[in-house]
Amino acid sequence: MKSVLLIGLGRFGKFIAMKLHAMGHQVMAVDTSEERVNALLPYVTNAQIGDSTNEEFLASLGIDNYDSCIVAIGDNFQNSLETAYLLKELGAKKVIARASREIQEKFLLRNGADEVVYPEKQLAAWTAIRCSSENILEYIELDDEYAIFELEIPLEWNGKTIVQLDIRKKFGINILGIRENGRLNMSITPDTVLGRNKSILVLGQEKAVHKCFRI
């Protein structure tokens, strides 16, 4: 169980709070809006109404006690930037901040943020990938070259084993797991047989995955 400070309770922050709650983590939620704070009370351990750009207010939260601090402010980048900076100054172990543009990502990383999430960019990449083929069930970008894909198993692979296909040697693609009837099996062997009622989880360069699966 982790202890997380979540600042900014708009739509993005709300979904983060709900997910953290479902995962069993402790969440301290902060926002300037009493209405937003009250709406999230069922999903957080504690909540405060306050201005995160106020150093005295932030210090009162005991910043160094949290495993992670998330800055999910989406409507005021100046406040987001100041908050990330103050969190680091007050001893935050890890600061994760939201950006909506590339220039914001650069400023945040230079001024306190350890990591930056870029929801619009990530969603755009997922939408473009998803539209390119109906066989793609899931997509996680790791960097500019590599990604994890979950794909439907091609018809011609039906009944073949992983060693017979040998896609690691041919395309440099690693098979991470196989999903069958909604359950993911990560304990696969070279003799694992593929079938049309399953999907496959692979890791590799995007170009190689596109070529291998003819996307």
Side-chain angles (χ1 to χ4, degrees):
M1 182 174 62
K2 299 268 187 178
S3 178
V4 180
L5 172 62
L6 174 62
I7 299 173
L9 305 180
R11 285 177 295 178
F12 184 60
K14 175 183 176 181
F15 288 124
I16 292 174
M18 294 172 69
K19 184 62 177 180
L20 287 170
H21 171 74
M23 296 169 69
H25 297 305
Q26 293 184 334
V27 180
M28 162 64 87
V30 173
D31 199 281
T32 55
S33 166
E34 181 178 1
E35 182 180 356
R36 288 180 176 179
V37 169
N38 289 336
L40 264 292
L41 287 178
Y43 305 101
V44 298
T45 310
N46 205 344
Q48 291 267 3
I49 302 168
D51 180 4
S52 61
T53 65
N54 184 306
E55 185 173 359
E56 185 177 344
F57 169 71
L58 274 188
S60 72
L61 301 176
I63 301 304
D64 58 351
N65 293 322
Y66 298 99
D67 295 300
S68 299
C69 298
I70 301 174
V71 183
I73 300 169
D75 55 358
N76 191 318
F77 178 67
Q78 182 66 32
N79 286 354
S80 181
L81 190 63
E82 290 183 25
T83 299
Y85 173 79
L86 287 174
L87 286 170
K88 210 61 181 179
E89 286 289 300
L90 292 168
K93 298 182 180 76
K94 185 175 184 179
V95 178
I96 303 171
R98 174 188 179 175
S100 58
R101 292 187 294 164
E102 289 186 11
I103 190 66
Q104 293 180 356
E105 183 178 8
K106 293 177 181 178
F107 273 114
L108 285 165
L109 288 172
R110 291 173 183 172
N111 291 274
D114 298 296
E115 295 181 22
V116 174
V117 291
Y118 195 161
E120 288 85 356
K121 181 180 179 180
Q122 292 160 347
L123 181 59
W126 160 238
T127 302
I129 290 291
R130 186 66 182 86
C131 288
S132 68
S133 174
E134 294 182 356
N135 296 327
I136 300 174
L137 306 175
E138 188 59 88
Y139 167 81
I140 302 172
E141 183 182 81
L142 301 180
D143 61 19
D144 291 338
E145 285 191 72
Y146 288 87
I148 295 173
F149 288 80
E150 182 177 352
L151 305 111
E152 292 182 357
I153 295 174
L155 182 61
E156 59 269 25
W157 290 15
N158 189 28
K160 293 185 178 180
T161 64
I162 290 174
V163 71
Q164 285 177 318
L165 294 169
D166 200 16
I167 64 172
R168 182 174 185 178
K169 182 178 180 180
K170 295 176 182 176
F171 300 97
I173 296 171
N174 292 298
I175 298 176
L176 304 178
I178 294 174
R179 193 187 302 277
E180 183 175 12
N181 298 323
R183 303 186 67 177
L184 187 61
N185 175 20
M186 303 292 284
S187 302
I188 57 176
T189 69
D191 297 323
T192 299
V193 178
L194 304 181
R196 286 296 292 171
N197 61 333
K198 304 174 184 178
S199 61
I200 191 169
L201 200 68
V202 300
L203 165 64
Q205 288 184 308
E206 289 197 29
K207 291 181 180 179
V209 174
H210 288 190
K211 183 177 180 180
C212 177
F213 288 86
R214 299 173 185 173
I215 298 171

